[in-house]
Amino acid sequence: SIKMDLLHSNGVLIIQHLQRDYRAYQDFLNFMSHVGDPRNIFSIYFPLWFQLNQVVGTKMIWVAVIGDWFNLIFKWILFGHRPYWWVQETMIYPNQSSPCLEQFPITCETGPGSPSGHAMGSSCVWYVMVTAALSYTVRWKDKSAVTLHRLTWSFLWSIFWIIQISVCISRVFIATHFPHQVVLGVFAGILVAEAFEHTPAIQTASLRMYIKTNLFLFLFALGFYLSLKLLDIDLLWSVPKAKKWCANPDWINIDTTPFAGLVRNLGALFGLGLGINSEMFITSCKGKNSCKISFRILCIAASLATLQLYNFVKIPTHTEYLFYILSFCKSAAMPLTVVALVPYCVHSLMRKTEKKLN
């Protein structure tokens, strides 16, 4: 406990330094925090990659969902505090003179703080994207191509680490994480992504396998929560702290609670399984049009545009269970749209155009 208090107090000093000396970069750091938001995986990265390479797109969803599930379990085990409430409750500062940490609209996360979900989600997904891009260049055999591969390797991994460091600094800057929490999140995300580099079975998983995986993840998390609750250990202990110490009650969002993230991810995995095992996917993405560049570009553009419309769908938050159900449905609809609905519509449109031309 003493060592952890020292770690936290040193982290507070770092946060104060960042908030004082990096004020000019506030907008950039807030932007990088949004870049690391796990929700971007489903609305931006996945639509792009799935249409370019279905293997990579599928792996991306699995890595994101399993990674975030492990993140939830780790958060429940580690009981990590967040800086913006820890400084208000710790007894290590003399005369109750706790440091003043500035809060922002995205500061008041309600779940435990360790490891960082943003850092973990960002690292695991960018790891998948970088390794996927490098898999194309590693096949080049001639001498000049080998040199180009090495340059590409250095460039892409430099970009990877620049993004991860920027996301980590942004999460520390807004006082929602301590430095050790973001570092732990980055390396945990890399481990999850690397594990899926050696798990080819996900590419041929049936709908039954998706459903079984969903049920296992949900029942394990729920069972873990209920078991500890029987032992009088409340795994939602962080929510009251967030509500108590957040500078603005409007910044508290039910979407940041532990179960909200779990439901969102399970919905995305179910939607992916439903889409990949649908007739619409087989007809469109496995047909002759799937190899055409025009088909893929249209699918990317239509998918990104359609998913932006989902942002306008506001889920009511007055009833918690209703919120979880609707959040699951909305999350399932997003990959289903990318995998099946949009490609099928584009495929049908191209077929009609070809018939008219003939």
Side-chain angles (χ1 to χ4, degrees), residues 119-283:
M120 190 168 175
S122 176
S123 66
C124 71
V125 170
W126 278 93
Y127 188 93
V128 169
M129 291 193 285
V130 169
T131 53
L134 290 175
S135 67
Y136 290 101
T137 62
V138 76
R139 302 168 192 164
W140 300 340
K141 300 297 181 183
D142 58 273
K143 191 173 181 179
S144 60
V146 170
T147 303
L148 182 59
H149 168 70
R150 288 174 180 171
L151 290 173
T152 305
W153 187 95
S154 300
F155 174 74
L156 289 179
W157 283 118
S158 296
I159 293 295
F160 172 85
W161 284 111
I162 289 171
I163 290 173
Q164 303 321 311
I165 292 171
S166 298
V167 170
C168 289
I169 291 175
S170 71
R171 301 301 288 171
V172 174
F173 174 84
I174 64 173
T176 201
H177 283 295
F178 291 103
H180 70 278
Q181 295 174 342
V182 293
V183 171
L184 179 59
V186 168
F187 287 102
I190 291 173
L191 287 175
V192 172
E194 180 60 28
F196 275 88
E197 291 293 318
H198 310 285
T199 314
I202 59 174
Q203 301 297 334
T204 56
S206 63
L207 180 58
R208 179 177 293 182
M209 182 63 184
Y210 277 91
I211 294 173
K212 285 182 177 179
T213 304
N214 254 21
L215 287 173
F216 171 79
L217 296 177
F218 176 72
L219 292 176
F220 185 97
L222 182 62
F224 188 72
Y225 169 78
L226 293 176
S227 297
L228 290 184
K229 194 169 184 179
L230 289 174
L231 297 174
D232 204 27
I233 300 175
D234 183 14
L235 293 180
L236 299 181
W237 60 273
S238 60
V239 178
K241 291 182 181 292
K243 292 179 177 178
K244 181 179 180 180
W245 296 115
C246 184
N248 187 337
D250 293 336
W251 295 346
I252 297 289
N253 193 337
I254 190 175
D255 200 32
T256 67
T257 59
F259 277 112
L262 176 66
V263 169
R264 182 173 59 247
N265 289 311
L266 295 183
L269 187 63
F270 177 72
L272 175 66
L274 202 61
I276 284 181
N277 291 280
S278 68
E279 286 296 325
M280 286 189 291
F281 171 77
I282 296 170
T283 301

Side-chain angles (χ1 to χ4, degrees), residues 50-123:
F50 188 83
Q51 306 302 348
L52 294 174
N53 188 314
Q54 293 169 11
V55 172
V56 177
T58 301
K59 185 193 299 181
M60 187 177 290
I61 291 289
W62 277 89
V63 165
V65 171
I66 301 300
D68 207 53
W69 183 83
F70 273 116
N71 182 263
L72 172 65
I73 301 301
F74 287 152
K75 282 180 185 292
W76 280 347
I77 292 173
L78 297 177
F79 283 81
H81 290 274
R82 293 186 185 272
Y84 76 92
W85 76 57
W86 181 82
V87 294
Q88 304 291 342
E89 298 190 342
T90 182
M91 304 298 292
I92 71 169
Y93 296 108
N95 302 322
Q96 296 182 338
S97 57
S98 59
C100 180
L101 298 182
E102 184 175 354
Q103 296 183 24
F104 302 87
I106 54 176
T107 295
C108 300
E109 299 270 351
T110 58
S114 187
S116 166
H118 280 64
M120 190 168 175
S122 176
S123 66

Side-chain angles (χ1 to χ4, degrees), residues 309-317 326 330:
L309 297 177
Y310 282 94
N311 293 330
F312 295 100
V313 179
K314 301 300 180 184
I315 301 175
T317 59
L326 294 179
K330 179 181 176 180

Side-chain angles (χ1 to χ4, degrees), residues 316-330:
T317 59
H318 58 276
T319 305
E320 193 170 359
Y321 293 113
L322 178 62
F323 171 83
Y324 290 146
I325 293 171
L326 294 179
S327 180
F328 178 90
C329 295
K330 179 181 176 180

Side-chain angles (χ1 to χ4, degrees), residues 17-38:
H17 169 70
L18 290 173
Q19 292 188 343
R20 181 181 65 250
D21 298 339
Y22 288 80
R23 173 65 56 192
Y25 304 99
Q26 177 181 329
D27 291 339
F28 171 74
L29 292 173
N30 284 332
F31 170 75
M32 289 308 300
S33 190
H34 286 294
V35 168
D37 192 329

